[in-house]
Amino acid sequence: MFDVVTIGSATLDVFIESDSANIVSVSSKDKRSDFMSFPYGSKVEIDDFSRNLGGGGINTAMNFAHLGFKTSTVVKLGADEISPLICENLIKSNIDTSNIIKAKEGLTGFSIILVSFQGDRTVLAHRGVNSSIKEKDINFDTLKKAKWLYIAPLAGESNRMLDKLASFAKENNIKLSINAGTTAIKKGEKYFSKIIETADILVLNKEEASMLTKISVRPDTKNEKFSKNFIHPDIIEMLKILRGKNKVNVVITDGKAGVYAYDGNKFYKAPEFPAVVRSTLGAGDAFSSTFTAAMEKYNMDIKKALECASVNAAAVVEVFGAQEGFLTFDEIDKKLKTQTCFKVESIEKDKYSAAG
């Protein structure tokens, strides 16, 4: 039996850091956009360079295994030199590879990550065979042995598997954690609401939650009476809609503003855990997989899970590579003891007073 089976993408990530990169901001009446730029037509010096395995399926499998979970992964690899490299590294990390799908043709996913001096990144991604996972590729009999299915964002045609996997988990009493991504959300609330009904954990970022609920978060200023609230009322409304009448524990991440969660009884807010940011790539995978692992380890204690996930995500952003900074649960607890100012707040839903 597996503690968890992750399902998602696999890539080779090439990280490139150059101090020659410029951040250019362009503003219009309605929005502001930032762009990474390099001198056109010139040769640009690279200050740092590394190659690492990546992709949501691989990143989260590595993290679950590092946290002590018996882990397998469903990813699709191409007919190229990257495929055996990924398999070899998974085996070294004690991850079961029997569920890996090996394509007879096509390329494994590949990404070039341009890292700015601010630690943020622009990703040039080639999906490869990641976007072609089909029902016939998956050994569902093996998946029946899992306690948890963790579904990372699925690209292209692979996204069609989301509802099938969700139904399978429900039919076989397997716990389900979903970090679906924008491809699934763009299919609409009617499609996604059926999937949410089957999930135990749903993790979205604020933009994805807004897209799904059709709620935009109003500016929060000192002149508005809701500025002093525990959580912005628009976030509260998102959490309520996403939770609905289901059993799902909803988590909304909001970058530097922290994380919000709702379990049907309490609302939670976790600030960003202190970190010196070098690269934000992989932070989302680290957060959502650690949250899922901690919910299993600590008997669905959301507050503890938010603490653990925030710490592990912070550790990942301090290094190059989406898997380089992973901590064990013991290391996470030690970090929490050193940062006594970090605190996850909670309040019962009946005591929360939204602005009105």
Side-chain angles (χ1 to χ4, degrees), residues 64-289:
F64 280 118
H66 196 78
L67 289 168
F69 283 59
K70 188 176 180 181
T71 306
S72 185
T73 186
V74 176
V75 295
K76 194 166 189 176
L77 305 181
D80 53 28
E81 70 280 5
I82 298 175
S83 177
L85 176 66
I86 290 176
C87 289
E88 180 182 336
N89 278 271
L90 290 173
I91 292 169
K92 286 181 180 178
S93 299
N94 295 317
I95 295 169
D96 173 77
T97 58
S98 64
N99 289 301
I100 286 179
I101 307 156
K102 295 182 180 179
K104 294 182 179 179
E105 58 183 10
L107 299 175
T108 303
F110 180 80
S111 295
I112 297 175
I113 297 96
L114 305 175
V115 183
S116 79
F117 60 87
Q118 295 176 332
D120 234 330
R121 77 280 190 270
T122 295
V123 181
L124 308 178
H126 174 65
R127 300 295 183 187
V129 295
N130 284 322
S131 60
S132 63
I133 298 176
K134 298 178 175 62
E135 185 174 345
K136 65 180 182 180
D137 292 331
I138 299 175
N139 186 343
F140 284 93
D141 287 336
T142 302
L143 299 193
K144 289 179 182 178
K145 301 174 183 178
K147 292 181 183 177
W148 281 87
L149 288 185
Y150 176 96
I151 304 179
L154 296 167
E157 292 182 16
S158 300
N159 194 258
R160 297 176 184 175
M161 290 302 304
L162 182 56
D163 52 351
K164 170 67 178 177
L165 290 164
S167 298
F168 174 82
K170 183 177 181 179
E171 291 165 4
N172 291 277
N173 295 315
I174 302 169
K175 296 176 186 177
L176 180 63
S177 181
I178 300 176
N179 181 11
T182 56
T183 303
I185 291 169
K186 285 179 180 177
K187 291 187 176 182
E189 188 235 348
K190 185 177 180 180
Y191 167 82
F192 208 76
S193 61
K194 293 180 181 179
I195 293 169
I196 294 174
E197 289 175 4
T198 68
D200 296 271
I201 296 170
L202 173 66
V203 182
L204 305 167
N205 63 37
K206 187 175 71 174
E207 290 72 26
E208 291 165 344
S210 178
M211 190 185 306
L212 190 57
T213 61
K214 303 295 190 294
I215 295 174
S216 297
V217 179
R218 294 166 288 173
D220 190 1
T221 70
K222 293 180 180 179
N223 296 324
E224 296 183 36
K225 59 184 177 181
F226 54 71
S227 65
K228 63 183 179 181
N229 278 9
F230 170 66
I231 302 175
H232 195 296
D234 295 334
I235 300 288
I236 290 289
E237 193 61 25
M238 286 180 181
L239 291 167
K240 285 181 176 178
I241 290 173
L242 292 168
R243 168 78 183 188
K245 297 179 180 179
N246 307 311
K247 63 178 181 179
V248 64
N249 296 286
V250 183
V251 180
I252 297 176
T253 62
D254 190 15
K256 293 182 179 180
V259 184
Y260 315 100
Y262 181 47
D263 63 1
N265 296 310
K266 290 182 180 181
F267 295 103
Y268 302 82
K269 182 178 181 180
E272 186 180 46
F273 195 81
V276 178
V277 178
R278 188 168 187 199
S279 170
T280 57
L281 189 75
D285 288 334
F287 180 91
S288 53
S289 55

Side-chain angles (χ1 to χ4, degrees), residues 27 30 37 68 70 156 224 338 350:
S27 298
D30 300 320
S37 71
K70 188 176 180 181
E224 296 183 36
T338 65
D350 296 334

Side-chain angles (χ1 to χ4, degrees), residues 21-57:
N22 299 303
I23 308 300
V24 180
S25 298
V26 178
S27 298
S28 65
K29 182 179 179 180
D30 300 320
K31 66 177 182 178
R32 168 180 161 165
S33 300
D34 294 326
F35 299 87
M36 187 183 297
S37 71
F38 296 91
Y40 183 69
S42 64
K43 181 181 288 187
V44 178
E45 292 293 327
I46 294 174
D47 295 290
D48 206 347
F49 168 88
S50 67
R51 295 185 303 170
N52 303 88
L53 302 185

